[in-house]
């Protein structure tokens, strides 16, 4: 039996891809990948990711638990919440990141890493683009050193389409997570972890038509977004709280996940 463990924050937990019957009420790309793995091969899956976690928290709260699960495949994506902070010592953070990858590599796990998304078109997050570019280069260096696979989110320009994003504009929606699952399976195929055609098992819904809104409608949407999503996010930053403080991992132990699993 082969084993897949996913580590990280909201991206890997599945925030934006709502599913009320699942733990934490989200599905996400990692669940979708695991559903294919479990259906097409002898795989089990655990997901330790929790929204809001920073690199240090992933190392301190998820690393040892994941190593104890002895995965054949482990995905790691953390750093977005560090990059969004006013100050972040990326050199120090990525040394810890490299240490995490090294431990999995020494344990015999195949490691899947992600670059960060290019925020060039985001009015709110575009200022973080230089940090993300540095982060990405560090990820590439780590992947080169330890032979890790890379899901190159930065270069996948189709994700710039707003139709792949949730109303909070920070997380992918169902369409985005579905596309990401297909992309990840392609990467795993090139790494000979899966068969190359397994990405075809992901049913990608059609994108809806782009909305054409008047200036007044756009302003109303901006005000609604600021009230419903931006203000609570800023409050959490100011108070040092996280949306994941009361949550635990969705699947802390191995499960044979199916599309209808909860």
């Amino acid at each position: 039996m082969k084993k897949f463990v996913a580590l990280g924050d909201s991206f890997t937990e599945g925030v934006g891809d709502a599913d009320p019957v699942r733990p934490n009420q989200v599905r996400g790309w990692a669940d979708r990948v695991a559903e294919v793995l479990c259906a097409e091969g002898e795989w089990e899956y655990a997901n330790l990711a929790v929204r809001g976690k920073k690199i240090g928290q992933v190392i301190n709260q998820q690393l040892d638990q994941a190593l104890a699960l002895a995965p054949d495949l482990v995905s790691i994506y953390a750093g977005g919440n560090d990059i969004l902070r006013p100050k972040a010592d990326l050199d120090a953070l990525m040394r810890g990141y490299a240490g995490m990858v090294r431990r999995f590599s020494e344990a015999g796990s195949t490691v899947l890493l992600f670059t960060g998304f290019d925020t060039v078109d985001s009015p709110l997050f575009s200022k973080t683009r230089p940090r993300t570019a540095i982060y990405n280069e560090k990820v590439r260096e780590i992947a080169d050193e330890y032979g890790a696979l890379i899901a190159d989110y930065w270069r996948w320009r189709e994700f710039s389409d707003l139709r792949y994003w949730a109303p909070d504009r920070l997380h992918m929606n169902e369409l985005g997570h579905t596309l990401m699952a297909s992309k990840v399976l392609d990467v795993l195929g090139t790494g000979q972890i899966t068969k190359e055609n397994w990405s075809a098992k992901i049913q990608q819904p059609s994108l809806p038509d782009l909305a054409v809104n008047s200036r007044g409608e756009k302003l109303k949407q901006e005000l609604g977004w600021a009230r419903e999503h931006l203000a609570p996010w800023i409050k959490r930053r100011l108070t040092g709280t996280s949306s994941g403080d009361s949550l635990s991992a969705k699947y802390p132990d191995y499960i044979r996940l199916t599309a209808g699993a909860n």
Side-chain angles (χ1 to χ4, degrees):
M1 188 71 70
K2 295 182 179 180
K3 301 173 181 178
F4 167 37
V5 177
L7 279 67
D9 54 24
S10 58
F11 173 80
T12 301
E13 184 190 354
V15 174
D17 185 6
D19 189 333
V21 303
R22 296 197 181 216
N24 298 355
Q25 298 187 324
V26 292
R27 189 179 180 185
W29 70 265
D31 281 17
R32 293 171 183 275
V33 167
E35 290 160 14
V36 173
L37 295 180
C38 292
E40 298 297 324
E42 295 298 315
W43 286 84
E44 294 178 318
Y45 166 63
N47 189 325
L48 308 183
V50 176
R51 66 196 71 178
K53 299 303 180 183
K54 295 182 285 187
I55 289 175
Q57 292 171 310
V58 171
I59 294 171
N60 294 331
Q61 300 171 16
Q62 300 177 24
L63 174 58
D64 287 343
Q65 184 177 357
L67 285 167
L69 290 170
D72 297 280
L73 169 67
V74 59
S75 69
I76 308 172
Y77 186 25
N81 291 307
D82 298 274
I83 290 170
L84 288 173
R85 264 55 180 186
K87 295 181 180 180
D89 186 345
L90 282 178
D91 290 314
L93 290 170
M94 297 309 286
R95 283 194 292 271
Y97 209 81
M100 185 163 46
V101 175
R102 174 182 56 79
R103 292 187 65 185
F104 282 114
S105 179
E106 290 175 350
S109 302
T110 296
V111 181
L112 172 69
L113 302 177
F114 291 77
T115 57
F117 177 68
D118 188 354
T119 56
V120 62
D121 296 321
S122 171
L124 180 62
F125 300 114
S126 60
K127 291 182 179 180
T128 67
R129 193 183 189 216
R131 285 187 188 178
T132 303
I134 294 171
Y135 169 89
N136 289 350
E137 185 58 26
K138 296 288 185 181
V139 167
R140 297 182 198 282
E141 290 175 356
I142 293 168
D144 287 345
E145 182 172 359
Y146 295 106
L149 301 173
I150 292 184
D152 208 341
Y153 201 7
W154 177 273
R155 295 180 180 174
W156 291 337
R157 295 298 166 179
E158 51 266 65
F159 286 101
S160 296
D161 191 321
L162 292 177
R163 291 173 291 180
Y164 287 117
W165 292 84
D168 66 4
R169 305 180 187 176
L170 186 61
H171 300 98
M172 296 180 296
N173 60 18
E174 175 188 354
L175 295 172
H177 279 282
T178 304
L179 177 59
M180 181 59 68
S182 178
K183 294 278 193 180
V184 167
L185 285 167
D186 279 337
V187 173
L188 296 180
T190 62
Q192 298 183 334
I193 305 302
T194 66
K195 295 180 180 178
E196 292 187 14
N197 64 347
W198 276 13
S199 63
K201 303 293 182 179
I202 299 291
Q203 298 297 316
Q204 181 67 41
S206 300
L207 287 172
D209 293 335
L210 281 170
V212 179
N213 297 320
S214 67
R215 182 176 300 180
E217 289 171 332
K218 289 180 180 178
L219 177 59
K220 184 178 180 180
Q221 288 178 351
E222 292 298 316
L223 292 173
W225 169 78
R227 180 178 62 255
E228 295 177 26
H229 302 289
L230 180 60
W233 183 81
I234 292 174
K235 182 179 179 180
R236 289 195 298 271
R237 300 288 81 74
L238 294 175
T239 58
T241 59
S242 167
S243 57
D245 285 345
S246 62
L247 298 176
S248 57
K250 293 165 60 177
Y251 301 115
D253 297 309
Y254 284 119
I255 182 175
R256 290 273 296 171
L257 195 65
T258 63
N262 58 13

